[in-house]
Amino acid sequence: MTNVAGLLLAAGEGARFGRPKALVEFGGQLLVERGLRLLTAGGCAPVHVVLGAAYDEILATADLADATTVVRNDAWPTGLGSSLRAGLASMPPDVGAVVIALVDQPLVTATAVERLRAAYAAGAVAAVATYGEHPRHPVLLARAVWKDIAELATGDAGARGFLRSRPDLVTKVPCDDVGSAADIDTPDDLATLRDDTAADS
């Protein structure tokens, strides 16, 4: 199985932000739209998005044409882990690996996704984008480790516990030169990223 799928986790309510971050506008797009296009442009297929909070509003508001499948996670209040489990379980059997992206990191680029796919093609079981040598998202996970990851994905813990427990399986993929893993947790974070993006343009 060589197909590499994309999985966008976008189910949270954005408690610190004040509303679901999937519906936040950045660079002329909603963050959920931007995340889907990131995975599509990076060569992932199919692309699934996990929604939870504001599910109906997102479906009515956002352009989800880049999503092959929308996965509803009613357990989203329990944390990120439930969304990761739901997303992995939704993948068709011909998918050999999945690239996982978070909805609140709008400066991640398609080139980072392409580099993770290249690492998988070269034999990586788990590939992690790094920025300043720090592991962040996106993350690629081969199907061989999905079961173990799902068992550890509880609360707000996604794949981190598994990756830390099996460093021998992790391939680090430097992405400093092709974007940033800066995330948006608060309105101040959003304002800062907008200012930085405007200054660079």
Side-chain angles (χ1 to χ4, degrees):
M1 294 181 290
T2 59
N3 287 2
V4 178
L7 177 60
L8 180 67
L9 303 184
E13 66 176 341
R16 292 175 60 192
F17 192 88
R19 60 191 173 105
K21 288 180 278 187
L23 291 167
V24 171
E25 183 274 332
F26 187 93
Q29 299 174 311
L30 299 181
L31 288 182
V32 66
E33 297 167 348
R34 193 177 182 96
L36 290 171
R37 287 168 190 165
L38 159 76
L39 293 167
T40 300
C44 295
V47 174
H48 293 195
V49 57
V50 182
L51 303 179
Y55 179 86
D56 292 332
E57 182 181 359
I58 294 170
L59 287 187
T61 306
D63 177 2
L64 303 182
D66 284 307
T68 309
T69 299
V70 176
V71 180
R72 180 166 185 158
N73 176 26
D74 290 325
W76 65 265
T78 65
L80 178 74
S82 64
S83 290
L84 177 57
R85 294 195 307 274
L88 292 177
S90 74
M91 291 294 161
D94 62 340
V95 169
V98 63
V99 174
I100 300 162
L102 304 182
V103 76
D104 63 355
Q105 295 180 324
L107 302 185
V108 172
T109 65
T111 303
V113 176
E114 292 169 351
R115 288 181 181 179
L116 294 179
R117 290 177 51 239
Y120 172 65
V125 174
V128 179
T130 63
Y131 304 83
E133 299 186 4
H134 298 292
R136 299 291 299 275
H137 280 83
V139 173
L140 178 143
L141 303 171
R143 182 178 285 274
V145 298
W146 290 4
K147 181 177 182 293
D148 291 337
I149 286 170
E151 289 175 353
L152 294 175
T154 58
D156 278 324
R160 185 183 309 159
F162 174 81
L163 296 175
R164 286 180 174 174
S165 70
R166 294 298 308 271
D168 55 305
L169 296 180
V170 176
T171 298
K172 295 181 179 179
V173 180
C175 293
D176 309 75
D177 60 324
V178 293
S180 165
D183 55 12
I184 296 172
D185 286 329
T186 67
D188 286 344
D189 294 337
L190 176 62
T192 297
L193 287 191
R194 281 177 173 162
D195 289 345
D196 289 347
T197 303
D200 292 339
S201 60

